[in-house]
Amino acid sequence: MKMPTRFQITRLAILTLVATLLLLPYIYMVGFSLKPVDEIFAGGLSPLPREFAGIANYLGALEREPLLRYLANGVIVCAGILFFQLLFAVPCAYAMAKLRFPGRSLMLGIVLFGLLIPIQATSLPIYVGLAWTGLADTYTALIVPFISSVFAVFLFYQFLRTIPDDLLDAARLDGCSEISIIVRIVLPLIMPAATAFGIFSVVSHWNDLFWPLVITRSPELNTPPLGILAFRSEEAGDSYGELMAGTAIITAPLVIAFLLAQRRFIEGISLGALKG
Amino acid sequence: MAHIQIQDLNKSFGDTSVLRGIDLSIHEGEFLAILGPSGCGKSTLLRIIAGLETHDSGHVRMGGSIMDGLAPKARDVAVVFQSYALYPHMTVAQNLALPLVMRETTRVQRLPFMGHISSVVKRKRVDIQSAVERAAAQVRIAELLDRKPAQLSGGQRQRVALARALIRKPKLFLLDEPLSNLDATLRASTRTEIVQLQKRLGTTAIYVTHDQTEAMTMADRIAIMIDGRVAQVGTAREIYDRPKDVHAALFVGTPKMNLFDGRIDGGVVRLAKTGMVLAHTADAIDGPIRVGIRPEHVVLKTEFDEGAIPVVETHREFLGSEALIHFGIGGGAPDISGVARLDPDALDKLAPGQTVSACFRPGGLHLFDQSGLRLELSGENLSPAATTALSDKETALDERPIPIIAGI
Ligand SMILES: Nc1ncnc2c1ncn2[C@@H]1O[C@H](COP(=O)(O)OP(=O)(O)O)[C@@H](O)[C@H]1O
Ligand SMILES: [Mg+2]
């Protein structure tokens, strides 16, 4: 085996240190979720439990709050949002990048402008609108404000511009309608970008506390972050083990999803549509 | 297979007028090359014929019916793009199958599970599969069917693009500089292959290129396109021998035709700068003209006969099967320059920098008026001044007839 150079060793050391620092809270969270309460309060720096209370903590967490329901809510909301975002953003980006029509540059300007507006700025009118239509405190209310994503349009627009026009013209001659072009040519080609966007979208909406807090009241609609909030306020103080177990359960799907899609994610943010 | 007629076609992008009154007629089964410099509007014309671009006025007819406004897929036209435009995420087999899948199956039949449910769909899929194999065999890519385009060489991609065009047996092939991304050897062999394929299928083809060798070797007829207009349509021979227009004359032939400013007065064709006599004509048209002579029609000799023009060699090129001598005319006015093509052996008889006499072969003179159009003076009237000297073969430097198309 070749000996690693000094540069490689240094680089590895620095990366390990930074990664550990970033992961430390997560490691302690998982560690605490495995410890009994008195051991947590006894202090001590080791994240490893001396006495294993993992099963009790996790079962307790699941019993105390309907965590699986919160997870299901998270999945419904994130899947709904992502589905509509892709449904609207891909054809929109395709039209702006590849079709010629009057008002195209104005539309692009509006999209760019939209990138600058934070959700907090528009939340009040949206809230009022939803309340007026009687949709507040429903799944629809959790999903609808996010179904058109200017960020997605912009990302796909940039990506689609790297697809040569000849390719789309060839598809038109081969008998594809514009819809077939999107489904058969554009979608497969922008898959890496769609995956990257999907991760951004799911992470931000899974972790979003602001909008669910504003628009929902019923506990059955709690999304994962609201679930943690509910968990903590009820039993403040003595059940840190269970609280950590609950947090671990709620963050686990994201971590697993990222690990599974990691390679595509990195492809998506570093490549154009056409390789080589 | 169809007869194509293009009638007074105009197209502008904003303020720039790209096509200006194109009239063109292509016979059934013909291989027509559109030859012109880059930017002259060839691709735009092709895209309009394919229906990928709209035109401002005029008509495109195919087999008698007007195509204007018809969507590309309704025209039954196949295009081979310069970039090949293969779908990068599909295998070669899928690339070839797509035109058939989209045309011969309905939206419902295309659903993935339909092959298991419906026997009609199953049979169609088998048919498409065998059509793909046949098309692949025609361009000899049968062993590549499972590869993605990224795993193919340039020549192989080019073949896949051809196969995808011919698989659905279109009425018309449109090829937009399909060989320009290949290396020289491959280009020469693919040229022949494309022509043979087209003749075997009998499908009308329009082939766009800026390469005169491609156009001259492949096409039944050539349309020279200059600056959005068709300057001349004809066989390679017709265009080379009797260019209708000074641009067509300059665009075809390597090296370029020599072009001198000249004038006619009182039946005498002269060089404008030196007044040297080139020819006599009985047609009484006086005024400034331009005189063109192809390099192989210039004859250099060491002896000065009456009427011959003294020229000084400025530069020589040895090209193996031929040699080029660049010369300046007249001792006092070396700003007129030209080039002569001769037998390489003749180079030895000529010392560098020597003053020799130049005359031209009978019929080698092309006259153009000030607007660039060919002046038709009848052959009898246009008698070269130095013809008599030419019969004296012994002293001519250039004795061997030279092939008209240079091997490039
Ligand atoms: N979509 C377009 N918009 C504006 N100008 C164009 C467009 N397509 C082509 N042109 C212009 O039309 C002219 C002819 O282009 P093209 O047909 O591609 O020429 P060629 O294929 O002969 O090289 C060029 O000057 C080009 O800039
Ligand atoms: Mg072109």
Side-chain angles (χ1 to χ4, degrees), chain A residues 166-167 169 171 173-174 184, chain B residues 47 83 86-87 89 103 168:
Chain A
D166 280 356
L167 206 58
D169 283 338
L173 286 157
D174 283 345
R184 287 176 177 264
Chain B
R47 290 171 55 80
S83 61
L86 303 178
Y87 310 118
H89 57 294
R103 276 159 194 273
R168 59 184 162 82

Side-chain angles (χ1 to χ4, degrees), chain B residues 348-363:
Chain B
D348 300 336
K349 302 184 197 164
L350 187 66
Q354 189 185 345
T355 301
V356 290
S357 79
C359 51
F360 54 91
R361 289 171 189 268

Side-chain angles (χ1 to χ4, degrees), chain A residues 15 17 34 54 70 72 101 103 114 125-126 137 149 151 164 179 181 190 210 226 252 259 269:
Chain A
L15 287 175
L17 184 72
L34 302 175
Y70 299 163
F101 56 91
I126 293 176
D137 204 23
S149 162
F151 176 64
I179 299 288
I181 290 179
I190 65 166
F210 173 75
L226 279 183
L259 290 179
I269 50 186

